[in-house]
Amino acid sequence: MKNLLAPRTLEFSVTVNDAGRSAAEHADIIAEPGFGKYFTDHMVDICWSERGGWHRPRVQPYGPIALDPAAAVLHYAQEIFEGLKAYRHQDGSIFTFRPEMNAERMKRSAARLALPELPTEYFVESLRQLIAVDARWVPSTPDTSLYLRPFMFAKEAFLGVRPAAKVNYYVIASPAGAYFAGGVEPVSIWISTDYARAGRGGTGAAKTGGNYASSLVAQQEAHSHGCAQVLFLDSETGEYLEELGGMNVVFVYKDGRVVTPESPSILEGITRDSLLRLAEDRGLKVEQRRVSIAEVREGVASGDIVEMFACGTAAVVAPIAQFIADGYTIGDAGAPAGELTMSLRQELTDIQYGRVADRHGWMTRLDG
Ligand SMILES: *Cc1c(COP(=O)(O)O)cnc(C)c1O
């Protein structure tokens, strides 16, 4: 469903939260934010209706959303989201990373979920508006950030099955501590053979809650095997790699090739795209193609594959020490983080935190 009416105005009304956190509460939270636990004082809310298009852009106090019990999202899961971060630079300024990519991906997710497409300028402006009132929530200690969570869902109270005629878009934000507090630690990943996250023609390429809902039981299985996360294989043959529940996977070969799975049911990560770009800049050959689990087993055993990592906005890069499946393991629990893995991670975070030149024009200033 296209947004037929152009946005009427980019002017947000702003209601300041008089009951925001005190300076002392704020200081306590910022000192140890964790991830996704605490939220800032405000949120963005934009309405959409079939007849009126996008309207009533607002910044308002953070708080519960009143929903009719018949709201379509509660029954049919017509919902999408995004995730990106705001980074505090040395001089105090606040930047985000490639927000147009998130805006474009949200449009693709919207198209798949029969939700309205939010124009890119509205998406980026919504982040600016939130930062304008919540700038104090962007932490400044190393590797911390303010996690931004735009999302959109079907609000119409109607139990008939069709795309909702009333939808809301929101942005909330949550200060995030360093993902690897005690230094970057390679992780073990469980290979799920009983569950798939996406199938042909499904919603795998959309960032939608339903994909996460269906991954949770596999995630539980992973935990019960002592693994941090789960790797999903393609649902048709169970032979080809897809991705983790919320991160993409990448392999580094001995000859310098950097290889990542291609599949129509993968969620295309902006972190992955950026890391592959940085690898190409170094003259490395990047291959995006089908990758079978047999290739990974043989590659690791023969020493052809020398590094493995997962990537996504939250962790940036998580080195993978080993994969564990029912009946075999790939790699070894004690394997150290790869050299290229860590160097790409460093380069990307240096760009994000403004420590090196932004030669690709990836950073967008949000404050001022
Ligand atoms: C968000 C997400 C990713 C990572 O995307 P980034 O843009 O790098 O954060 C990977 N896989 C899934 C399923 C996701 O939802």
Side-chain angles (χ1 to χ4, degrees), residues 248-301:
N248 299 120
V249 285
V250 178
F251 300 90
V252 181
Y253 282 65
K254 191 172 60 187
D255 60 12
R257 276 176 302 144
V258 178
V259 178
T260 190
E262 180 161 72
S263 152
S265 45
I266 282 181
L267 192 286
E268 302 209 310
I270 294 159
T271 314
R272 179 176 75 158
D273 182 80
S274 308
L275 292 164
L276 295 181
R277 211 31 204 288
L278 295 180
E280 270 172 356
D281 290 352
R282 296 177 184 205
L284 298 174
K285 184 155 180 281
V286 168
E287 295 176 3
Q288 204 160 335
R289 58 166 170 81
R290 297 228 287 178
V291 178
S292 71
I293 200 67
E295 174 181 348
V296 176
R297 277 184 86 168
E298 286 156 21
V300 171

Side-chain angles (χ1 to χ4, degrees), residues 141-225:
T141 41
D143 286 330
T144 62
S145 61
L146 181 66
Y147 184 76
L148 302 167
R149 169 52 63 85
F151 61 107
M152 187 193 295
F153 65 82
K155 215 177 200 180
E156 185 184 3
F158 179 59
L159 290 186
V161 180
R162 59 149 169 75
K166 273 182 60 189
V167 168
N168 276 56
Y169 164 84
Y170 298 89
V171 188
I172 57 172
S174 174
Y179 189 91
F180 293 101
V184 177
E185 275 283 329
V187 294
S188 295
I189 305 287
W190 173 250
I191 300 177
S192 174
T193 44
D194 289 347
Y195 305 107
R197 74 172 277 285
R200 176 156 43 134
T203 57
K207 209 165 176 77
T208 180
N211 293 340
Y212 281 72
S214 68
S215 75
L216 296 177
V217 59
Q219 182 73 32
Q220 270 179 334
E221 196 178 78
H223 283 154
S224 73
H225 288 88

